[in-house]
Amino acid sequence: MNRIRAGVLVAAGCAGLAVAGMSPAQAQATGSSAVGGVGQIEVTVQADGAGANCSVRVDGTIVPDSNFLVFADPGTASKTVTGISGGSHQVNAFCNGADLDTFTVQVQPAQTGSTQ
């Protein structure tokens, strides 16, 4: 009986070490860009590996539902946020708990109604 317990404990310990050693390193965002449009902003992030988890920050506030992931290893991903008022905005990506470079982006107001 003791031999069985010892075998189970050794196996469990090895499994725990294997799982701990297999956890992937978190991808780091290495660069970004931002472009304004008509009522919207597109943010692109470059990362050194798959798994960079990012959101879009406009004028200091993370935009709701702006989360996106970089899937390629290494690679890029973009997110377009809409409903942005016209004018000049401070924009950056917030990835894996860190703010990337901030850009000043000009957004054109969205057209509403008829021009006739």
Side-chain angles (χ1 to χ4, degrees):
M1 186 68 124
N2 285 338
R3 184 176 279 181
I4 293 173
R5 282 188 202 152
V8 170
L9 289 175
V10 169
C14 289
L17 288 174
V19 170
M22 296 174 89
S23 60
Q26 191 173 40
Q28 295 298 311
T30 57
S32 63
S33 61
V35 178
V38 177
Q40 67 184 26
I41 297 170
E42 181 182 48
V43 174
T44 301
V45 170
Q46 299 84 38
D48 63 1
N53 184 6
C54 304
S55 295
V56 176
R57 191 185 298 268
V58 176
D59 297 327
T61 303
I62 292 179
V63 177
D65 300 319
S66 67
N67 186 267
F68 63 105
L69 297 171
V70 177
F71 288 108
D73 183 13
T76 62
S78 296
K79 178 71 174 188
T80 299
V81 292
T82 59
I84 306 298
S85 62
S88 182
H89 297 279
Q90 297 296 305
V91 180
N92 70 291
F94 179 73
C95 299
N96 297 341
D99 282 303
L100 299 183
D101 291 338
T102 299
F103 301 94
T104 300
V105 173
Q106 190 67 33
V107 175
Q108 293 78 39
Q111 295 292 328
T112 57
S114 174
T115 59
Q116 294 183 11

